[in-house]
Amino acid sequence: MARIHIRYCTQCQWLLRSAWYAQELLSTFGEQLTEVALSPSHGGTFEIWCDDTLLWERKRDGGFPDIKTLKRQVRDQIDPAQDLGHIDQ
């Protein structure tokens, strides 16, 4: 069971984006996750962690991930053999 942690900038008003990512990840991996946590931050912060692994960082990775990319990254961390259906095609 994995934990997803999304840190987002409140100054940039990225709560809705963060909540949407959380909803998508829970819809796809709900039974495999212990939680999806949203943590307010500042200074343009946007990070997505899976346990202790940083999957995405807005400044490092050049913006925000598309949902297919994010789901593949989460899958690769928690269950590399899982088929994501149309996302994998």
Side-chain angles (χ1 to χ4, degrees):
M1 300 285 282
R3 176 181 189 266
I4 302 294
H5 180 203
I6 301 173
R7 293 184 61 221
Y8 66 94
C9 179
T10 58
Q11 296 165 316
C12 301
Q13 299 185 12
W14 291 333
L15 172 59
L16 290 177
R17 179 186 301 269
S18 301
W20 178 73
Y21 282 129
Q23 175 186 332
E24 287 290 320
L25 294 175
L26 285 167
S27 294
T28 302
F29 304 105
E31 297 289 322
Q32 298 161 286
L33 301 175
T34 57
E35 70 177 323
V36 176
L38 301 178
S39 298
S41 189
H42 59 277
T45 299
F46 188 84
E47 301 172 346
I48 301 175
W49 293 80
C50 181
D51 296 326
D52 295 326
T53 302
L54 180 61
L55 299 180
W56 195 271
E57 201 278 321
R58 184 188 64 83
K59 294 175 185 173
R60 178 192 75 185
D61 298 312
F64 298 96
D66 65 41
I67 197 61
K68 289 180 180 183
T69 299
L70 181 57
K71 286 182 179 184
R72 284 187 195 119
Q73 288 182 327
V74 170
R75 184 266 317 269
D76 292 348
Q77 287 294 310
I78 66 175
D79 185 6
Q82 181 177 348
D83 181 16
L84 292 177
H86 69 280
I87 290 174
D88 282 333
Q89 297 174 0

